[in-house]
Amino acid sequence: MARKAAKRDSRGAHLGAAIVTVALVLLSSYGKLIALGVVSGVFLLWFAAALAWAYADGDHGRHALQRAYNVTFGWGDGF
């Protein structure tokens, strides 16, 4: 239950998502399509796994999506 009671601050996740977006745009602009597919696929699988974990933990709807988003991109807090 402690995970569900954690605060829902997503600033670090927004920063992480912005960094990934910039990296994907740069990869596509330089024509690195294979790298673009790999990086996109890794983050897509990471998000899907986090969402499945949130649903298995009993979260549903918007809260499950927010938890998966924070798990996937929350490393942006380190910047």
Side-chain angles (χ1 to χ4, degrees):
M1 285 295 182
R3 286 187 305 245
K4 293 180 186 178
K7 65 179 187 172
R8 295 184 179 181
D9 185 20
S10 296
R11 274 182 274 160
H14 294 325
L15 180 59
I19 291 169
V20 170
T21 302
V22 168
L24 293 176
V25 167
L26 289 174
L27 285 172
S28 67
S29 68
Y30 287 119
K32 306 291 184 183
L33 298 180
I34 293 175
L36 175 68
V38 169
V39 173
S40 299
V42 166
F43 279 99
L44 178 64
L45 289 175
W46 191 355
F47 182 80
L51 186 59
W53 176 49
Y55 270 95
D57 199 31
D59 282 340
H60 297 290
R62 182 175 287 174
H63 190 253
L65 287 171
Q66 186 172 19
R67 275 185 63 193
Y69 179 74
N70 286 339
V71 167
T72 304
F73 299 108
W75 50 265
D77 278 335
F79 286 97

